[in-house]
Amino acid sequence: MRGSYILKDIIGVRFRDAGKIYSFDPNGFEINKGDKVIVETARGIEYGEVVRTNLTIQEDDLVTPLRKVLRIATEDDHKTYSSNREKEKQAAEICQNKITEHGLDMKFIDVEYTFDSSKILFYFTADGRVDFRELVKDLASVFKTRIELRQIGVRDEAKMLGGLGICGRPFCCSSFLSDFHPVSIKMAKEQNLSLNPTKISGTCGRLMCCLKYEQEAYEDLNRTTPRVNSVVDTPLGTGTVVDANLLTGQVKVRLDESPDVAPKCFNRCDCCVRKRQREPAQEHEDEIPEELKEILDE
């Protein structure tokens, strides 16, 4: 059973654009949303932006002991952060050249300096496992600090690089989504979307994150709307559902008394299900086209 919600003097800090929000103890500082702070994390001292204050969270989600804010960022801290961003540009070019020199089958994505420059993280994608031990040694000899290479997935790649989706807006993952949520073909089917990979997959090649947004509403509508082939009682008699529009609530019913006449339209509230048409147990798996199976979540 989940723990109860608690309201404590906790702030939420984000270290990357649209990145995950981490909770910290403000340590007595008067901190407002938008302030830049210096905090201690598992990987060292970090510079982050306060995106939430007076957080309401579940006790089970509270990581204890809660790490404290070291200080509100000073002018020198801002300069250090800006300097790190400039150094990342040079590090990116060097890493790309080193990957080419070593002939590694990997794609460089991004680089990140920790605030105190005690570690540099290089992010990359690859089809399989890559032996990058020599590359790490080479980079360490150049930068004279700890080097970490981290392999990421295609969704994380899209989040880091950003871009425009088929809707014409910036990627959800790079603009406001803190975490990726599971998305399935079942969601597309329940929303009556075309199972065309170009229609329901994002630039990353996986199912679009936005399929999740209205799923709860569609699940509720599916519970209250008669399925196709269900037997229903209507104000004009008993019939069989031949079509149903979840959003408008209109249900087309072919009446038993006049099967040769065009189906009549009724509001779902006026249809009482006598015999519900059950969904085949393996429908969602068996009817998935082969080309769609490639974009399912890993």
mmCIF file of all heavy atoms in Angstrom, residues 66-115:
data_model
loop_
_atom_site.group_PDB
_atom_site.id
_atom_site.type_symbol
_atom_site.label_atom_id
_atom_site.label_comp_id
_atom_site.label_asym_id
_atom_site.label_seq_id
_atom_site.Cartn_x
_atom_site.Cartn_y
_atom_site.Cartn_z
ATOM 1 N N LEU A 66 17.679 13.140 3.159
ATOM 2 C CA LEU A 66 17.525 14.123 2.092
ATOM 3 C C LEU A 66 18.772 15.002 2.023
ATOM 4 O O LEU A 66 19.204 15.564 3.024
ATOM 5 C CB LEU A 66 16.286 14.983 2.382
ATOM 6 C CG LEU A 66 15.673 15.742 1.207
ATOM 7 C CD1 LEU A 66 15.176 14.764 0.155
ATOM 8 C CD2 LEU A 66 14.523 16.613 1.695
ATOM 9 N N ARG A 67 19.371 15.087 0.847
ATOM 10 C CA ARG A 67 20.563 15.923 0.681
ATOM 11 C C ARG A 67 20.181 17.402 0.767
ATOM 12 O O ARG A 67 19.090 17.800 0.360
ATOM 13 C CB ARG A 67 21.245 15.624 -0.651
ATOM 14 C CG ARG A 67 21.825 14.213 -0.726
ATOM 15 C CD ARG A 67 22.482 13.977 -2.068
ATOM 16 N NE ARG A 67 22.993 12.615 -2.189
ATOM 17 C CZ ARG A 67 24.232 12.254 -1.864
ATOM 18 N NH1 ARG A 67 25.070 13.162 -1.385
ATOM 19 N NH2 ARG A 67 24.629 11.005 -2.007
ATOM 20 N N LYS A 68 21.104 18.200 1.269
ATOM 21 C CA LYS A 68 20.821 19.617 1.522
ATOM 22 C C LYS A 68 21.439 20.522 0.450
ATOM 23 O O LYS A 68 22.439 20.172 -0.185
ATOM 24 C CB LYS A 68 21.349 20.013 2.900
ATOM 25 C CG LYS A 68 20.680 19.280 4.057
ATOM 26 C CD LYS A 68 21.233 19.751 5.395
ATOM 27 C CE LYS A 68 20.535 19.044 6.556
ATOM 28 N NZ LYS A 68 21.028 19.512 7.876
ATOM 29 N N VAL A 69 20.820 21.685 0.298
ATOM 30 C CA VAL A 69 21.371 22.717 -0.574
ATOM 31 C C VAL A 69 22.609 23.301 0.100
ATOM 32 O O VAL A 69 22.571 23.652 1.280
ATOM 33 C CB VAL A 69 20.330 23.829 -0.823
ATOM 34 C CG1 VAL A 69 20.966 25.002 -1.567
ATOM 35 C CG2 VAL A 69 19.140 23.286 -1.604
ATOM 36 N N LEU A 70 23.695 23.382 -0.634
ATOM 37 C CA LEU A 70 24.930 23.936 -0.063
ATOM 38 C C LEU A 70 24.888 25.462 -0.022
ATOM 39 O O LEU A 70 25.300 26.082 0.959
ATOM 40 C CB LEU A 70 26.134 23.465 -0.877
ATOM 41 C CG LEU A 70 26.373 21.941 -0.914
ATOM 42 C CD1 LEU A 70 27.610 21.625 -1.748
ATOM 43 C CD2 LEU A 70 26.528 21.388 0.492
ATOM 44 N N ARG A 71 24.380 26.055 -1.107
ATOM 45 C CA ARG A 71 24.265 27.521 -1.145
ATOM 46 C C ARG A 71 23.459 27.933 -2.363
ATOM 47 O O ARG A 71 23.269 27.144 -3.306
ATOM 48 C CB ARG A 71 25.654 28.173 -1.209
ATOM 49 C CG ARG A 71 26.443 27.835 -2.476
ATOM 50 C CD ARG A 71 27.814 28.503 -2.490
ATOM 51 N NE ARG A 71 28.572 28.189 -3.699
ATOM 52 C CZ ARG A 71 29.351 27.122 -3.831
ATOM 53 N NH1 ARG A 71 29.473 26.250 -2.831
ATOM 54 N NH2 ARG A 71 30.017 26.928 -4.961
ATOM 55 N N ILE A 72 22.972 29.142 -2.325
ATOM 56 C CA ILE A 72 22.364 29.733 -3.516
ATOM 57 C C ILE A 72 23.511 30.169 -4.422
ATOM 58 O O ILE A 72 24.512 30.726 -3.949
ATOM 59 C CB ILE A 72 21.476 30.932 -3.136
ATOM 60 C CG1 ILE A 72 20.307 30.452 -2.264
ATOM 61 C CG2 ILE A 72 20.958 31.640 -4.383
ATOM 62 C CD1 ILE A 72 19.409 31.561 -1.774
ATOM 63 N N ALA A 73 23.404 29.880 -5.693
ATOM 64 C CA ALA A 73 24.501 30.137 -6.627
ATOM 65 C C ALA A 73 24.930 31.601 -6.615
ATOM 66 O O ALA A 73 24.093 32.505 -6.639
ATOM 67 C CB ALA A 73 24.095 29.713 -8.031
ATOM 68 N N THR A 74 26.241 31.800 -6.574
ATOM 69 C CA THR A 74 26.810 33.140 -6.590
ATOM 70 C C THR A 74 27.198 33.522 -8.022
ATOM 71 O O THR A 74 27.083 32.709 -8.951
ATOM 72 C CB THR A 74 28.062 33.200 -5.700
ATOM 73 O OG1 THR A 74 29.062 32.306 -6.249
ATOM 74 C CG2 THR A 74 27.729 32.753 -4.270
ATOM 75 N N GLU A 75 27.691 34.734 -8.180
ATOM 76 C CA GLU A 75 28.116 35.183 -9.497
ATOM 77 C C GLU A 75 29.260 34.314 -10.020
ATOM 78 O O GLU A 75 29.317 33.985 -11.205
ATOM 79 C CB GLU A 75 28.553 36.649 -9.428
ATOM 80 C CG GLU A 75 28.832 37.275 -10.784
ATOM 81 C CD GLU A 75 27.599 37.299 -11.679
ATOM 82 O OE1 GLU A 75 26.479 37.465 -11.160
ATOM 83 O OE2 GLU A 75 27.773 37.143 -12.909
ATOM 84 N N ASP A 76 30.160 33.933 -9.113
ATOM 85 C CA ASP A 76 31.269 33.054 -9.513
ATOM 86 C C ASP A 76 30.755 31.683 -9.960
ATOM 87 O O ASP A 76 31.295 31.076 -10.894
ATOM 88 C CB ASP A 76 32.249 32.880 -8.346
ATOM 89 C CG ASP A 76 33.083 34.132 -8.094
ATOM 90 O OD1 ASP A 76 33.194 34.963 -9.017
ATOM 91 O OD2 ASP A 76 33.611 34.266 -6.971
ATOM 92 N N ASP A 77 29.704 31.195 -9.289
ATOM 93 C CA ASP A 77 29.118 29.910 -9.670
ATOM 94 C C ASP A 77 28.521 29.990 -11.069
ATOM 95 O O ASP A 77 28.656 29.057 -11.871
ATOM 96 C CB ASP A 77 28.040 29.498 -8.665
ATOM 97 C CG ASP A 77 28.620 29.163 -7.302
ATOM 98 O OD1 ASP A 77 29.771 28.697 -7.249
ATOM 99 O OD2 ASP A 77 27.913 29.375 -6.288
ATOM 100 N N HIS A 78 27.860 31.111 -11.365
ATOM 101 C CA HIS A 78 27.275 31.291 -12.702
ATOM 102 C C HIS A 78 28.376 31.281 -13.761
ATOM 103 O O HIS A 78 28.208 30.688 -14.841
ATOM 104 C CB HIS A 78 26.501 32.614 -12.777
ATOM 105 C CG HIS A 78 25.334 32.706 -11.846
ATOM 106 N ND1 HIS A 78 24.491 31.636 -11.608
ATOM 107 C CD2 HIS A 78 24.860 33.732 -11.090
ATOM 108 C CE1 HIS A 78 23.546 32.000 -10.745
ATOM 109 N NE2 HIS A 78 23.757 33.258 -10.410
ATOM 110 N N LYS A 79 29.500 31.929 -13.454
ATOM 111 C CA LYS A 79 30.604 31.984 -14.411
ATOM 112 C C LYS A 79 31.210 30.588 -14.613
ATOM 113 O O LYS A 79 31.559 30.218 -15.739
ATOM 114 C CB LYS A 79 31.679 32.952 -13.917
ATOM 115 C CG LYS A 79 31.250 34.416 -13.951
ATOM 116 C CD LYS A 79 32.353 35.327 -13.433
ATOM 117 C CE LYS A 79 31.926 36.793 -13.478
ATOM 118 N NZ LYS A 79 32.985 37.707 -12.947
ATOM 119 N N THR A 80 31.324 29.834 -13.518
ATOM 120 C CA THR A 80 31.861 28.473 -13.613
ATOM 121 C C THR A 80 30.958 27.604 -14.476
ATOM 122 O O THR A 80 31.428 26.830 -15.325
ATOM 123 C CB THR A 80 31.981 27.841 -12.213
ATOM 124 O OG1 THR A 80 32.879 28.623 -11.423
ATOM 125 C CG2 THR A 80 32.493 26.411 -12.299
ATOM 126 N N TYR A 81 29.656 27.739 -14.275
ATOM 127 C CA TYR A 81 28.687 26.959 -15.058
ATOM 128 C C TYR A 81 28.799 27.307 -16.548
ATOM 129 O O TYR A 81 28.830 26.420 -17.409
ATOM 130 C CB TYR A 81 27.281 27.233 -14.546
ATOM 131 C CG TYR A 81 26.195 26.537 -15.319
ATOM 132 C CD1 TYR A 81 25.933 25.180 -15.135
ATOM 133 C CD2 TYR A 81 25.422 27.232 -16.254
ATOM 134 C CE1 TYR A 81 24.937 24.530 -15.861
ATOM 135 C CE2 TYR A 81 24.428 26.592 -16.979
ATOM 136 C CZ TYR A 81 24.198 25.249 -16.779
ATOM 137 O OH TYR A 81 23.207 24.619 -17.505
ATOM 138 N N SER A 82 28.884 28.610 -16.846
ATOM 139 C CA SER A 82 28.991 29.046 -18.241
ATOM 140 C C SER A 82 30.294 28.556 -18.859
ATOM 141 O O SER A 82 30.336 28.150 -20.027
ATOM 142 C CB SER A 82 28.912 30.574 -18.323
ATOM 143 O OG SER A 82 27.666 31.044 -17.839
ATOM 144 N N SER A 83 31.369 28.585 -18.053
ATOM 145 C CA SER A 83 32.664 28.112 -18.542
ATOM 146 C C SER A 83 32.614 26.624 -18.876
ATOM 147 O O SER A 83 33.173 26.182 -19.889
ATOM 148 C CB SER A 83 33.741 28.381 -17.485
ATOM 149 O OG SER A 83 34.977 27.837 -17.864
ATOM 150 N N ASN A 84 31.916 25.851 -18.036
ATOM 151 C CA ASN A 84 31.775 24.409 -18.293
ATOM 152 C C ASN A 84 31.025 24.154 -19.591
ATOM 153 O O ASN A 84 31.344 23.227 -20.340
ATOM 154 C CB ASN A 84 31.050 23.736 -17.135
ATOM 155 C CG ASN A 84 31.925 23.602 -15.900
ATOM 156 O OD1 ASN A 84 33.148 23.690 -15.983
ATOM 157 N ND2 ASN A 84 31.306 23.397 -14.754
ATOM 158 N N ARG A 85 30.001 24.976 -19.853
ATOM 159 C CA ARG A 85 29.245 24.789 -21.090
ATOM 160 C C ARG A 85 30.135 25.043 -22.308
ATOM 161 O O ARG A 85 30.001 24.386 -23.346
ATOM 162 C CB ARG A 85 28.030 25.742 -21.120
ATOM 163 C CG ARG A 85 27.025 25.569 -20.002
ATOM 164 C CD ARG A 85 26.217 24.271 -20.112
ATOM 165 N NE ARG A 85 26.957 23.115 -19.648
ATOM 166 C CZ ARG A 85 27.129 22.800 -18.374
ATOM 167 N NH1 ARG A 85 26.633 23.558 -17.429
ATOM 168 N NH2 ARG A 85 27.804 21.714 -18.027
ATOM 169 N N GLU A 86 31.047 26.030 -22.190
ATOM 170 C CA GLU A 86 31.954 26.310 -23.298
ATOM 171 C C GLU A 86 32.946 25.170 -23.480
ATOM 172 O O GLU A 86 33.263 24.772 -24.604
ATOM 173 C CB GLU A 86 32.702 27.626 -23.040
ATOM 174 C CG GLU A 86 31.829 28.870 -23.146
ATOM 175 C CD GLU A 86 31.219 29.034 -24.523
ATOM 176 O OE1 GLU A 86 31.933 28.795 -25.525
ATOM 177 O OE2 GLU A 86 30.027 29.396 -24.603
ATOM 178 N N LYS A 87 33.434 24.624 -22.374
ATOM 179 C CA LYS A 87 34.394 23.513 -22.448
ATOM 180 C C LYS A 87 33.738 22.268 -23.038
ATOM 181 O O LYS A 87 34.414 21.439 -23.668
ATOM 182 C CB LYS A 87 34.953 23.213 -21.060
ATOM 183 C CG LYS A 87 35.906 24.279 -20.548
ATOM 184 C CD LYS A 87 36.637 23.839 -19.283
ATOM 185 C CE LYS A 87 35.723 23.721 -18.096
ATOM 186 N NZ LYS A 87 36.465 23.418 -16.842
ATOM 187 N N GLU A 88 32.429 22.115 -22.841
ATOM 188 C CA GLU A 88 31.724 20.958 -23.389
ATOM 189 C C GLU A 88 31.754 20.960 -24.919
ATOM 190 O O GLU A 88 31.818 19.903 -25.551
ATOM 191 C CB GLU A 88 30.279 20.941 -22.890
ATOM 192 C CG GLU A 88 30.146 20.539 -21.431
ATOM 193 C CD GLU A 88 28.738 20.686 -20.900
ATOM 194 O OE1 GLU A 88 27.863 21.159 -21.651
ATOM 195 O OE2 GLU A 88 28.509 20.337 -19.730
ATOM 196 N N LYS A 89 31.716 22.145 -25.509
ATOM 197 C CA LYS A 89 31.750 22.233 -26.970
ATOM 198 C C LYS A 89 33.068 21.686 -27.513
ATOM 199 O O LYS A 89 33.098 20.957 -28.501
ATOM 200 C CB LYS A 89 31.550 23.691 -27.408
ATOM 201 C CG LYS A 89 30.203 24.275 -27.023
ATOM 202 C CD LYS A 89 30.098 25.736 -27.424
ATOM 203 C CE LYS A 89 28.762 26.337 -26.994
ATOM 204 N NZ LYS A 89 28.669 27.783 -27.339
ATOM 205 N N GLN A 90 34.161 22.059 -26.856
ATOM 206 C CA GLN A 90 35.472 21.567 -27.279
ATOM 207 C C GLN A 90 35.601 20.072 -27.013
ATOM 208 O O GLN A 90 36.138 19.326 -27.843
ATOM 209 C CB GLN A 90 36.568 22.326 -26.532
ATOM 210 C CG GLN A 90 37.980 21.907 -26.936
ATOM 211 C CD GLN A 90 39.044 22.637 -26.139
ATOM 212 O OE1 GLN A 90 38.732 23.335 -25.180
ATOM 213 N NE2 GLN A 90 40.307 22.461 -26.528
ATOM 214 N N ALA A 91 35.080 19.632 -25.856
ATOM 215 C CA ALA A 91 35.159 18.209 -25.508
ATOM 216 C C ALA A 91 34.373 17.360 -26.501
ATOM 217 O O ALA A 91 34.782 16.236 -26.836
ATOM 218 C CB ALA A 91 34.617 17.992 -24.097
ATOM 219 N N ALA A 92 33.249 17.882 -26.980
ATOM 220 C CA ALA A 92 32.430 17.145 -27.947
ATOM 221 C C ALA A 92 33.204 16.907 -29.241
ATOM 222 O O ALA A 92 33.186 15.805 -29.805
ATOM 223 C CB ALA A 92 31.143 17.917 -28.237
ATOM 224 N N GLU A 93 33.905 17.928 -29.690
ATOM 225 C CA GLU A 93 34.677 17.800 -30.932
ATOM 226 C C GLU A 93 35.818 16.808 -30.762
ATOM 227 O O GLU A 93 36.078 15.973 -31.650
ATOM 228 C CB GLU A 93 35.221 19.175 -31.327
ATOM 229 C CG GLU A 93 35.972 19.173 -32.642
ATOM 230 C CD GLU A 93 36.443 20.556 -33.047
ATOM 231 O OE1 GLU A 93 36.040 21.541 -32.381
ATOM 232 O OE2 GLU A 93 37.216 20.646 -34.031
ATOM 233 N N ILE A 94 36.499 16.871 -29.614
ATOM 234 C CA ILE A 94 37.614 15.960 -29.356
ATOM 235 C C ILE A 94 37.126 14.518 -29.289
ATOM 236 O O ILE A 94 37.729 13.606 -29.877
ATOM 237 C CB ILE A 94 38.326 16.340 -28.045
ATOM 238 C CG1 ILE A 94 39.019 17.693 -28.191
ATOM 239 C CG2 ILE A 94 39.318 15.264 -27.636
ATOM 240 C CD1 ILE A 94 39.634 18.223 -26.909
ATOM 241 N N CYS A 95 36.010 14.296 -28.583
ATOM 242 C CA CYS A 95 35.469 12.942 -28.444
ATOM 243 C C CYS A 95 35.081 12.370 -29.804
ATOM 244 O O CYS A 95 35.366 11.209 -30.098
ATOM 245 C CB CYS A 95 34.274 12.946 -27.500
ATOM 246 S SG CYS A 95 33.567 11.310 -27.208
ATOM 247 N N GLN A 96 34.442 13.191 -30.640
ATOM 248 C CA GLN A 96 34.036 12.719 -31.959
ATOM 249 C C GLN A 96 35.248 12.302 -32.795
ATOM 250 O O GLN A 96 35.233 11.271 -33.472
ATOM 251 C CB GLN A 96 33.247 13.817 -32.679
ATOM 252 C CG GLN A 96 32.697 13.399 -34.039
ATOM 253 C CD GLN A 96 31.745 12.225 -33.927
ATOM 254 O OE1 GLN A 96 30.656 12.351 -33.384
ATOM 255 N NE2 GLN A 96 32.160 11.073 -34.441
ATOM 256 N N ASN A 97 36.299 13.094 -32.705
ATOM 257 C CA ASN A 97 37.522 12.761 -33.452
ATOM 258 C C ASN A 97 38.155 11.476 -32.939
ATOM 259 O O ASN A 97 38.646 10.646 -33.717
ATOM 260 C CB ASN A 97 38.521 13.910 -33.352
ATOM 261 C CG ASN A 97 38.074 15.154 -34.109
ATOM 262 O OD1 ASN A 97 37.278 15.058 -35.041
ATOM 263 N ND2 ASN A 97 38.557 16.317 -33.694
ATOM 264 N N LYS A 98 38.155 11.287 -31.616
ATOM 265 C CA LYS A 98 38.735 10.086 -31.024
ATOM 266 C C LYS A 98 37.944 8.830 -31.408
ATOM 267 O O LYS A 98 38.515 7.763 -31.627
ATOM 268 C CB LYS A 98 38.791 10.216 -29.503
ATOM 269 C CG LYS A 98 39.745 11.292 -29.001
ATOM 270 C CD LYS A 98 41.190 10.985 -29.367
ATOM 271 C CE LYS A 98 42.130 12.039 -28.810
ATOM 272 N NZ LYS A 98 43.557 11.791 -29.195
ATOM 273 N N ILE A 99 36.621 8.969 -31.465
ATOM 274 C CA ILE A 99 35.789 7.827 -31.871
ATOM 275 C C ILE A 99 36.137 7.408 -33.298
ATOM 276 O O ILE A 99 36.259 6.217 -33.605
ATOM 277 C CB ILE A 99 34.291 8.196 -31.758
ATOM 278 C CG1 ILE A 99 33.883 8.330 -30.291
ATOM 279 C CG2 ILE A 99 33.426 7.148 -32.452
ATOM 280 C CD1 ILE A 99 32.457 8.821 -30.092
ATOM 281 N N THR A 100 36.341 8.407 -34.159
ATOM 282 C CA THR A 100 36.703 8.127 -35.548
ATOM 283 C C THR A 100 38.083 7.468 -35.625
ATOM 284 O O THR A 100 38.291 6.513 -36.382
ATOM 285 C CB THR A 100 36.703 9.426 -36.371
ATOM 286 O OG1 THR A 100 35.412 10.049 -36.278
ATOM 287 C CG2 THR A 100 37.018 9.146 -37.830
ATOM 288 N N GLU A 101 39.031 7.975 -34.829
ATOM 289 C CA GLU A 101 40.384 7.417 -34.828
ATOM 290 C C GLU A 101 40.386 5.954 -34.403
ATOM 291 O O GLU A 101 41.109 5.131 -34.976
ATOM 292 C CB GLU A 101 41.278 8.220 -33.872
ATOM 293 C CG GLU A 101 41.644 9.602 -34.375
ATOM 294 C CD GLU A 101 42.494 10.352 -33.371
ATOM 295 O OE1 GLU A 101 43.013 9.698 -32.421
ATOM 296 O OE2 GLU A 101 42.652 11.582 -33.525
ATOM 297 N N HIS A 102 39.569 5.625 -33.409
ATOM 298 C CA HIS A 102 39.532 4.253 -32.901
ATOM 299 C C HIS A 102 38.620 3.349 -33.742
ATOM 300 O O HIS A 102 38.561 2.137 -33.495
ATOM 301 C CB HIS A 102 39.061 4.242 -31.441
ATOM 302 C CG HIS A 102 40.079 4.751 -30.472
ATOM 303 N ND1 HIS A 102 41.040 3.944 -29.901
ATOM 304 C CD2 HIS A 102 40.301 5.993 -29.978
ATOM 305 C CE1 HIS A 102 41.805 4.665 -29.093
ATOM 306 N NE2 HIS A 102 41.381 5.925 -29.116
ATOM 307 N N GLY A 103 37.897 3.942 -34.691
ATOM 308 C CA GLY A 103 37.039 3.147 -35.563
ATOM 309 C C GLY A 103 35.915 2.438 -34.832
ATOM 310 O O GLY A 103 35.542 1.315 -35.188
ATOM 311 N N LEU A 104 35.355 3.092 -33.826
ATOM 312 C CA LEU A 104 34.290 2.476 -33.027
ATOM 313 C C LEU A 104 32.925 2.692 -33.667
ATOM 314 O O LEU A 104 32.630 3.777 -34.206
ATOM 315 C CB LEU A 104 34.295 3.064 -31.611
ATOM 316 C CG LEU A 104 35.552 2.788 -30.780
ATOM 317 C CD1 LEU A 104 35.491 3.523 -29.461
ATOM 318 C CD2 LEU A 104 35.718 1.287 -30.557
ATOM 319 N N ASP A 105 32.100 1.657 -33.613
ATOM 320 C CA ASP A 105 30.752 1.719 -34.184
ATOM 321 C C ASP A 105 29.795 2.297 -33.136
ATOM 322 O O ASP A 105 29.002 1.587 -32.532
ATOM 323 C CB ASP A 105 30.297 0.322 -34.613
ATOM 324 C CG ASP A 105 28.979 0.369 -35.367
ATOM 325 O OD1 ASP A 105 28.584 1.466 -35.809
ATOM 326 O OD2 ASP A 105 28.331 -0.693 -35.493
ATOM 327 N N MET A 106 29.917 3.588 -32.914
ATOM 328 C CA MET A 106 29.080 4.273 -31.929
ATOM 329 C C MET A 106 28.829 5.704 -32.393
ATOM 330 O O MET A 106 29.617 6.273 -33.145
ATOM 331 C CB MET A 106 29.756 4.275 -30.547
ATOM 332 C CG MET A 106 31.141 4.880 -30.545
ATOM 333 S SD MET A 106 32.105 4.551 -29.039
ATOM 334 C CE MET A 106 31.240 5.539 -27.838
ATOM 335 N N LYS A 107 27.714 6.265 -31.948
ATOM 336 C CA LYS A 107 27.329 7.611 -32.358
ATOM 337 C C LYS A 107 27.391 8.535 -31.149
ATOM 338 O O LYS A 107 26.659 8.343 -30.182
ATOM 339 C CB LYS A 107 25.923 7.595 -32.950
ATOM 340 C CG LYS A 107 25.394 8.978 -33.348
ATOM 341 C CD LYS A 107 23.964 8.882 -33.848
ATOM 342 C CE LYS A 107 23.394 10.263 -34.172
ATOM 343 N NZ LYS A 107 21.964 10.178 -34.588
ATOM 344 N N PHE A 108 28.258 9.523 -31.199
ATOM 345 C CA PHE A 108 28.369 10.488 -30.107
ATOM 346 C C PHE A 108 27.119 11.366 -30.064
ATOM 347 O O PHE A 108 26.656 11.864 -31.091
ATOM 348 C CB PHE A 108 29.617 11.354 -30.294
ATOM 349 C CG PHE A 108 29.686 12.516 -29.342
ATOM 350 C CD1 PHE A 108 30.077 12.330 -28.029
ATOM 351 C CD2 PHE A 108 29.343 13.790 -29.766
ATOM 352 C CE1 PHE A 108 30.127 13.396 -27.145
ATOM 353 C CE2 PHE A 108 29.394 14.858 -28.898
ATOM 354 C CZ PHE A 108 29.787 14.669 -27.578
ATOM 355 N N ILE A 109 26.574 11.570 -28.863
ATOM 356 C CA ILE A 109 25.351 12.352 -28.708
ATOM 357 C C ILE A 109 25.577 13.653 -27.952
ATOM 358 O O ILE A 109 25.228 14.728 -28.418
ATOM 359 C CB ILE A 109 24.257 11.536 -27.979
ATOM 360 C CG1 ILE A 109 23.942 10.271 -28.768
ATOM 361 C CG2 ILE A 109 23.000 12.374 -27.776
ATOM 362 C CD1 ILE A 109 23.406 10.516 -30.169
ATOM 363 N N ASP A 110 26.181 13.570 -26.773
ATOM 364 C CA ASP A 110 26.316 14.768 -25.952
ATOM 365 C C ASP A 110 27.419 14.571 -24.927
ATOM 366 O O ASP A 110 27.885 13.444 -24.694
ATOM 367 C CB ASP A 110 24.988 15.064 -25.237
ATOM 368 C CG ASP A 110 24.884 16.500 -24.748
ATOM 369 O OD1 ASP A 110 25.765 17.306 -25.095
ATOM 370 O OD2 ASP A 110 23.915 16.815 -24.025
ATOM 371 N N VAL A 111 27.833 15.666 -24.318
ATOM 372 C CA VAL A 111 28.853 15.628 -23.278
ATOM 373 C C VAL A 111 28.421 16.537 -22.140
ATOM 374 O O VAL A 111 27.749 17.547 -22.364
ATOM 375 C CB VAL A 111 30.238 16.071 -23.826
ATOM 376 C CG1 VAL A 111 30.160 17.475 -24.399
ATOM 377 C CG2 VAL A 111 31.300 15.990 -22.744
ATOM 378 N N GLU A 112 28.805 16.174 -20.929
ATOM 379 C CA GLU A 112 28.405 16.957 -19.763
ATOM 380 C C GLU A 112 29.539 16.992 -18.745
ATOM 381 O O GLU A 112 30.080 15.955 -18.350
ATOM 382 C CB GLU A 112 27.155 16.335 -19.131
ATOM 383 C CG GLU A 112 26.639 17.075 -17.919
ATOM 384 C CD GLU A 112 25.435 16.390 -17.297
ATOM 385 O OE1 GLU A 112 25.028 15.317 -17.790
ATOM 386 O OE2 GLU A 112 24.897 16.928 -16.306
ATOM 387 N N TYR A 113 29.909 18.192 -18.340
ATOM 388 C CA TYR A 113 30.883 18.396 -17.273
ATOM 389 C C TYR A 113 30.141 18.480 -15.945
ATOM 390 O O TYR A 113 29.091 19.119 -15.855
ATOM 391 C CB TYR A 113 31.625 19.718 -17.466
ATOM 392 C CG TYR A 113 32.920 19.643 -18.240
ATOM 393 C CD1 TYR A 113 32.924 19.511 -19.629
ATOM 394 C CD2 TYR A 113 34.136 19.728 -17.583
ATOM 395 C CE1 TYR A 113 34.111 19.466 -20.333
ATOM 396 C CE2 TYR A 113 35.340 19.682 -18.282
ATOM 397 C CZ TYR A 113 35.318 19.556 -19.654
ATOM 398 O OH TYR A 113 36.502 19.502 -20.357
ATOM 399 N N THR A 114 30.660 17.837 -14.908
ATOM 400 C CA THR A 114 30.116 18.093 -13.580
ATOM 401 C C THR A 114 30.569 19.491 -13.176
ATOM 402 O O THR A 114 31.543 20.028 -13.713
ATOM 403 C CB THR A 114 30.615 17.064 -12.550
ATOM 404 O OG1 THR A 114 32.053 17.091 -12.533
ATOM 405 C CG2 THR A 114 30.136 15.665 -12.908
ATOM 406 N N PHE A 115 29.875 20.088 -12.210
ATOM 407 C CA PHE A 115 30.127 21.484 -11.859
ATOM 408 C C PHE A 115 31.575 21.724 -11.443
ATOM 409 O O PHE A 115 32.190 22.717 -11.828
ATOM 410 C CB PHE A 115 29.181 21.906 -10.730
ATOM 411 C CG PHE A 115 29.360 23.340 -10.301
ATOM 412 C CD1 PHE A 115 28.911 24.377 -11.099
ATOM 413 C CD2 PHE A 115 29.994 23.641 -9.106
ATOM 414 C CE1 PHE A 115 29.091 25.696 -10.717
ATOM 415 C CE2 PHE A 115 30.174 24.960 -8.711
ATOM 416 C CZ PHE A 115 29.720 25.995 -9.516
#
